[in-house]
Amino acid sequence: LILHGKIAALLLYRHSTNAEEVLTMDASRLYKSSNELAHDLYTIPSYTSWFSWQSIHEVERLSLREFFDCSSITRTPRIYKEYRDYIITSYRQDPTRRLSFSDIRKSLVGDISVLHKVFTFLEKWGLINFDPSNAETPAAIHAPAEEDKEDEKWRIRVEEGTPHGVRVVAAPHSLKPLAPVPSPVITGHRGAGKGRGGGTVDNIPKFSPMASYLDVYGELVGQQKEESVVCLSCKELCASGHYEYSKDASSNLCEKCFTSGNYDKNKFADEFKPIDGANPKVNWTEAETLLLLESVLKHGDDWDLVTQNVKTKSKLDCISKLIQLPFGDLMLGSIHKKFNFLDKNREVRGVNQAQPAISESRETLGNQSHEQNQERQQNGNAECETPPLKKIRRAPVSEDSSFLMKQVAHISGAVGPHIAASAAEAAVTALCYENQCSTDIFDGDDNGLVSIADFSETERTSQVVGAEGEEKHVRSETEVEASQRNSISLTLRTRAATATAIGAAAAHAKLLANQEEREIEYLVSTLVEAQVKKLKRKMKHVEALNLMMEKQHGQMKDLEESLVTERMDILQKIFSSGVSRWRDHASVKSQSSTSSI
Amino acid sequence: MMKPPSTSGSPKNPVKFRLPTAENLVPIRLDIEIDGKKFKDAFTWNASDPDSEVFAFARRTVKDLKLPTAFAFQIAQSIQSQLLEFRSYEGKDMHTGEKVVPIKLDLRVNQTIIKDQILWDMNNFEGDPEEFARTFCEDMKIEDPEVGPAIAIAIREQLYEIAKQGVAFMRESRTNKKGRKGMEHLSASKVGSPALDLGKLFDPEGSIQRKMSERDAYGPVVDHLSKEEVDALEAREERLPR
């Protein structure tokens, strides 16, 4: 089953060299006489991986029972195998041509119906007439379990979550993709730009895992989506709001023309539906959102009732709004706190730049902006004047990929270059999964794979080191890389960059988590140590006390002995003096004294 | 050679009469002439359909083809009699033996001429002439929609013929004294169809691949005639009725 899934995800290509993807058929047995075709690769569908020249599989036994129930000498397993082998062999003599039943029945002896059954069986399982490039799902295959596999086969696999290769996991041992990260990089990074590292950390988690795409890119998307509505009567853009004619969505009126009654006579005022603002679906007030949530809680997904409650919004608006809403803590706060992601980023940068306020870093900063300008010119951007750094950062993502590259460079600059490299590689791999042609593009130059990471590294170097000799080298390197990237198509680059950024961010988050974990571990261990010390001290005390006790005990015994001898002396003195009157009294006394001891 | 246990219709273990196909369809051929008007047709009829359908079908055909109403009765009667004949065999024992029979196809449908030869196992009751005909037309890229059914019917007619012989053979062997030596051998020729020597065909040492010399006979030949050729052929057939 694993094998099935694996192969299924990829279309099978003839003569592909990847042994895992293509089931290799040893054709030598077929071509005993003709050696030139001794070994060749043939493509069969993944669901037919059971096939073997040497044996007859259970699938064959079940589908073609008549050969295996000993009902006739004309239908035996041996004859089946010969039929099968002959048909497949004749197909493989020229797999580009479609083998027809009429072609093979000419040269096979046997009942036509049985032959036909074998033929259709082989065709159904793709052992003959299988064309991977034009593969349609063959007619229903009887075994129900097969159907799932087939579904899987033609489904486009979409990778979800962090880019392929970057795994965010709890156990630090399974962090394979990030394993080769050398620790000096992290420590160096922390030492060099503490404010910067902190800033990035603050920046990213603000958008919680539940934050939707719209929350992050909402502004940018909104700007693009904002269709320009042209008024029907005055032919001007309806800036503030417009009225849509309910019978024909394309005829719109601007507010001014509507109020002045400036439209066709055969249309009525109540047939126009007011659509306020340029972006009606985003314009939800907090009260409305609250009302929506309340009524959703009350009525569930009965949207008619919900809409009745909300009143000011249509059913569709309500649904789309609810879909857009990220849940959790962010649900209520998001409306107010929705900052521009990019603005924030800029702020962070400002902090970064303020912190290492040394002349050296300013120099490198100037160098950096110079680099950026250079890159913009290379990209042939329409803006002729060289805008200040901040303005570049505000440019929309989709329009200027060099800006995006900067973003990526920035994010990946927060992590070590090795992490960024692996993230970039992972992103490219993920893209290659989706698109075959991208492989060619990225395979074109191996440098392209790591160029993103390299770029960030060079930027970092220029920021941190800022040595004169290296600056020139760095600049030339970035130029080369920029031209390399320009050869890759814009969208692909954009996507690769985005994926890299996300990957880098994920990796960075993981690193921070690791750090945190280590800190916690350290604290716990110190705590335990302190406790142990405390216990040891107590033990010492107890031992000392024990010693004292023993000493006292010994003293007591000595005292007791001396007391007994004393008493004996006194008693003997009394006996010798012959006073019998005191006898009883003395014995009582001696008894009480022993008991007291 | 070990003979596997056979469930086929040997005299000791006979099967009931049946065409060696999955569906029990009766090939029906109509050739009716009334007052110089001719009606020819061939189709299959499901033996288990009720007879009332026959009359409905006849009426419908006459109406659709705008034939004189007299045809309706004739058509119904012809179908009825052919069905009756088929049913008279049903329930009777049939000898099939270990028999694979060659079916020869040699027919003309409109402008298409088809010559072919196939083998049919009389013990395989899952055969499907219609399916074969469909594949045939697909492979040979025959577009005329009448060709497929014609092939299927031609196969069915021959199978029907051989099945009838199987029943006749069974009856004969019952009337003869039991255990007569070599009876099966003798009667094999009586059955008429040139049954193939299976032992030789499916020899474990031999190959199931056909000899090169035989391949041409078993390969499909499709020819397309021009309009004139068809007319000439039909005129000749008129003069020499079969």
Side-chain angles (χ1 to χ4, degrees):
Chain A
L1 251 160
I2 294 157
L3 184 71
H4 275 289
K6 208 178 227 170
I7 299 162
L10 303 148
L11 284 184
L12 301 166
Y13 289 97
R14 192 170 130 78
H15 295 307
S16 169
T17 45
N18 195 335
E20 219 176 46
E21 289 164 28
V22 174
L23 297 168
T24 313
M25 291 294 136
D26 182 4
S28 57
R29 203 177 144 281
L30 292 167
Y31 300 101
K32 279 176 203 152
S33 50
S34 54
N35 290 326
E36 75 271 19
L37 283 167
H39 289 279
D40 205 350
L41 290 178
Y42 291 99
T43 304
I44 61 169
S46 57
Y47 50 74
T48 319
S49 53
W50 47 261
F51 175 75
S52 155
W53 287 112
Q54 274 74 43
S55 59
I56 294 168
H57 189 260
E58 203 55 35
V59 172
E60 295 167 285
R61 269 174 218 284
L62 284 170
S63 302
L64 302 161
R65 254 179 249 269
E66 51 269 67
F67 283 103
F68 306 100
D69 58 6
C70 301
S71 58
S72 166
I73 58 158
T74 66
R75 295 188 293 269
T76 64
R78 180 188 72 84
I79 285 169
Y80 164 68
K81 203 161 163 301
E82 281 192 42
Y83 282 159
R84 181 191 78 178
D85 293 357
Y86 180 82
I87 294 171
I88 297 174
T89 313
S90 32
Y91 167 65
R92 290 189 178 171
Q93 275 162 8
D94 182 9
T96 53
R97 142 208 79 132
R98 194 183 164 77
L99 184 73
S100 75
F101 177 57
S102 303
D103 294 333
I104 59 107
R105 73 178 162 92
K106 200 193 288 189
S107 31
L108 285 178
V109 175
D111 178 25
I112 204 84
S113 313
V114 167
L115 277 175
H116 193 251
K117 209 167 168 187
V118 173
F119 184 85
T120 42
F121 170 80
L122 295 175
E123 195 169 44
K124 191 176 78 183
W125 284 96
L127 286 167
I128 54 168
N129 296 343
F130 178 68
D131 182 4
S133 57
N134 185 27
E136 289 164 36
T137 313
I141 282 172
H142 291 312
E146 296 302 325
E147 285 181 7
D148 293 340
K149 290 173 199 163
E150 258 182 78
D151 281 347
E152 206 172 57
K153 181 168 187 226
W154 308 120
R155 203 187 298 142
I156 296 163
R157 210 168 67 174
V158 180
E159 297 276 331
E160 278 180 341
T162 52
H164 181 78
V166 177
R167 257 170 249 157
V168 182
V169 281
H173 317 288
S174 48
L175 196 71
K176 272 177 196 160
L178 300 175
V181 180
S183 52
V185 174
I186 304 165
T187 51
H189 154 68
R190 282 181 74 195
K194 212 171 180 183
R196 178 201 215 190
T200 328
V201 179
D202 279 346
N203 189 11
I204 295 165
K206 274 270 163 65
F207 296 100
S208 80
M210 295 298 283
S212 69
Y213 177 80
L214 269 176
D215 282 336
V216 182
Y217 293 110
E219 266 79 350
L220 296 170
V221 174
Q223 280 166 22
Q224 283 176 347
K225 268 195 175 173
E226 194 182 305
E227 343 148 44
S228 49
V229 181
V230 181
C231 175
L232 203 66
S233 70
C234 63
K235 308 282 184 239
E236 272 173 40
L237 286 177
C238 312
S240 56
H242 66 275
Y243 286 83
E244 196 181 73
Y245 187 51
S246 57
K247 285 175 187 169
D248 178 13
S250 64
S251 56
N252 301 301
L253 280 179
C254 70
E255 226 164 357
K256 215 169 35 181
C257 296
F258 179 75
T259 41
S260 60
N262 216 347
Y263 46 85
D264 279 357
K265 290 270 151 38
N266 50 2
K267 292 172 185 169
F268 298 100
D270 54 357
E271 277 173 14
F272 285 97
K273 193 172 68 179
I275 293 173
D276 57 68
N279 223 341
K281 274 160 201 169
V282 181
N283 266 356
W284 280 72
T285 63
E286 197 171 1
E288 275 175 329
T289 315
L290 279 172
L291 199 63
L292 169 74
L293 289 170
E294 233 172 58
S295 33
V296 166
L297 281 178
K298 213 198 278 177
H299 300 296
D301 55 358
D302 190 341
W303 291 106
D304 287 319
L305 282 171
V306 170
T307 318
Q308 265 177 30
N309 252 22
V310 178
K311 279 176 197 148
T312 48
K313 292 283 183 262
S314 75
K315 199 156 99 180
L316 205 74
D317 285 347
C318 287
I319 296 170
S320 55
K321 177 64 188 172
L322 197 77
I323 291 166
Q324 279 171 28
L325 279 176
F327 291 94
D329 293 343
L330 223 73
M331 190 162 73
L332 298 172
S334 65
I335 301 149
H336 284 307
K337 289 174 191 164
K338 199 153 80 177
F339 288 129
N340 194 330
F341 177 71
L342 307 167
D343 275 347
K344 202 174 275 178
N345 224 345
R346 188 168 50 77
E347 279 166 29
V348 170
R349 267 207 85 83
V351 172
N352 298 342
Q353 286 154 10
Q355 276 250 339
I358 320 161
S359 60
E360 248 183 22
S361 72
R362 279 210 187 129
E363 226 178 75
T364 50
L365 193 70
N367 171 38
Q368 211 186 9
S369 65
H370 179 58
E371 268 176 33
Q372 281 170 343
N373 292 344
Q374 261 192 339
E375 210 172 290
R376 287 180 75 80
Q377 278 158 11
Q378 278 171 1
N379 284 352
N381 206 296
E383 289 170 67
C384 291
E385 41 162 8
T386 46
L389 189 67
K390 287 185 180 181
K391 214 168 181 182
I392 304 172
R393 302 226 161 262
R394 297 199 73 158
V397 175
S398 54
E399 271 170 33
D400 193 350
S401 72
S402 76
F403 156 72
L404 192 70
M405 296 307 287
K406 287 279 162 196
Q407 280 283 311
V408 172
H410 171 66
I411 294 173
S412 51
V415 297
H418 293 267
I419 301 170
S422 60
E425 215 166 312
V428 169
T429 329
L431 280 178
C432 293
Y433 262 121
E434 294 170 33
N435 194 348
Q436 189 65 34
C437 76
S438 60
T439 329
D440 306 334
I441 295 164
F442 284 114
D443 281 351
D445 52 344
D446 273 5
N447 290 341
L449 273 171
V450 283
S451 70
I452 299 160
D454 278 353
F455 179 65
S456 74
E457 199 172 14
T458 49
E459 201 190 41
R460 265 169 50 79
T461 346
S462 71
Q463 272 183 343
V464 176
V465 182
E468 285 285 322
E470 267 197 45
E471 261 180 31
K472 275 182 190 170
H473 171 65
V474 163
R475 205 182 302 166
S476 64
E477 225 178 65
T478 6
E479 272 170 29
V480 170
E481 277 156 17
S483 62
Q484 273 173 359
R485 278 197 304 280
N486 281 348
S487 64
I488 303 166
S489 85
L490 189 84
T491 38
L492 263 175
R493 248 164 46 204
T494 317
R495 297 191 63 191
T498 316
T500 313
I502 295 163
H508 187 65
K510 172 62 199 157
L511 271 174
L512 283 165
N514 269 4
Q515 225 168 284
E516 204 77 349
E517 211 168 286
R518 272 197 295 276
E519 233 159 88
I520 289 167
E521 256 170 48
Y522 175 72
L523 284 173
V524 166
S525 67
T526 43
L527 203 78
V528 168
E529 248 170 66
Q531 287 284 349
V532 168
K533 259 187 200 168
K534 201 169 117 190
L535 276 171
K536 270 184 186 167
R537 291 245 168 97
K538 274 188 180 172
M539 283 302 287
K540 259 186 196 167
H541 275 292
V542 168
E543 266 168 38
L545 275 169
N546 256 348
L547 268 173
M548 271 160 73
M549 283 281 280
E550 262 168 46
K551 259 187 196 167
Q552 278 184 344
H553 198 250
Q555 281 174 346
M556 289 286 275
K557 265 195 177 164
D558 286 353
L559 235 127
E560 192 191 316
E561 265 171 39
S562 64
L563 262 172
V564 168
T565 44
E566 222 176 293
R567 191 172 293 272
M568 291 281 278
D569 281 350
I570 291 166
L571 278 174
Q572 257 174 353
K573 275 177 190 164
I574 289 166
F575 274 124
S576 57
S577 61
V579 184
S580 53
R581 214 170 51 143
W582 293 99
R583 207 188 209 164
D584 287 349
H585 184 68
S587 69
V588 171
K589 224 182 183 177
S590 77
Q591 263 177 1
S592 68
S593 70
T594 40
S595 69
S596 76
I597 294 165
Chain B
M1 183 185 103
M2 274 274 289
K3 252 198 174 185
S6 172
T7 55
S8 61
S10 65
K12 278 167 203 156
N13 186 16
V15 289
K16 295 288 179 213
F17 169 82
R18 183 164 185 197
L19 291 193
T21 56
E23 279 177 292
N24 198 19
L25 300 176
V26 188
I28 303 279
R29 196 168 278 276
L30 297 178
D31 190 352
I32 296 161
E33 187 173 354
I34 299 176
D35 301 333
K37 269 204 162 185
K38 266 191 161 179
F39 174 63
K40 270 190 180 178
D41 201 359
F43 49 87
T44 54
W45 192 272
N46 193 335
S48 47
D49 273 354
D51 282 5
S52 56
E53 296 276 308
V54 174
F55 292 100
F57 171 78
R59 271 197 297 276
R60 185 88 223 165
T61 311
V62 167
K63 199 179 158 198
D64 286 353
L65 299 173
K66 298 191 174 64
L67 293 167
T69 40
F71 273 99
F73 177 72
Q74 288 280 327
I75 290 169
Q77 209 180 31
S78 180
I79 297 172
Q80 199 77 2
S81 65
Q82 286 178 66
L83 283 178
L84 270 177
E85 194 201 340
F86 186 84
R87 291 205 183 108
S88 71
Y89 290 103
E90 276 185 331
K92 284 193 178 143
D93 290 338
M94 174 174 71
H95 168 79
T96 55
E98 282 284 359
K99 197 158 73 175
V100 174
V101 292
I103 303 276
K104 271 198 176 118
L105 295 175
D106 184 359
L107 58 148
R108 178 182 67 83
V109 185
N110 300 330
Q111 293 180 30
T112 317
I113 283 184
I114 284 150
K115 284 196 173 72
D116 202 353
Q117 192 168 354
I118 55 174
L119 292 181
W120 204 278
D121 188 344
M122 293 304 284
N123 288 307
N124 182 5
F125 294 101
E126 278 160 26
D128 193 341
E130 285 75 23
E131 169 91 45
F132 169 77
R134 244 193 320 275
T135 315
F136 186 98
C137 290
E138 249 168 55
D139 288 350
M140 308 312 289
K141 298 188 174 56
I142 295 169
E143 277 155 18
D144 190 343
E146 288 182 44
V147 175
I151 294 171
I153 289 159
I155 295 169
R156 278 191 185 277
E157 278 177 336
Q158 289 183 51
L159 295 177
Y160 185 25
E161 210 49 51
I162 295 159
K164 277 198 252 182
Q165 286 166 3
V167 173
F169 172 79
M170 207 64 191
R171 202 165 35 224
E172 211 173 296
S173 67
R174 288 260 166 83
T175 49
N176 286 341
K177 272 167 200 165
K178 282 178 190 172
R180 206 165 124 184
K181 271 181 194 171
M183 179 199 68
E184 218 168 317
H185 258 273
L186 275 171
S187 318
S189 57
K190 262 189 187 172
V191 170
S193 61
L196 298 157
D197 188 349
L198 291 177
K200 212 173 177 183
L201 272 180
F202 295 97
D203 194 303
E205 274 83 48
S207 169
I208 40 85
Q209 289 183 36
R210 197 161 268 144
K211 285 190 205 103
M212 279 299 175
S213 56
E214 286 175 9
R215 286 194 184 180
D216 283 339
Y218 283 90
V221 177
V222 177
D223 211 353
H224 291 277
L225 298 177
S226 65
K227 202 93 180 120
E228 293 76 39
E229 284 173 313
V230 172
D231 290 342
L233 258 177
E234 274 177 355
R236 214 183 311 151
E237 278 168 14
E238 285 287 295
R239 271 182 271 122
L240 298 165
R242 269 182 261 179

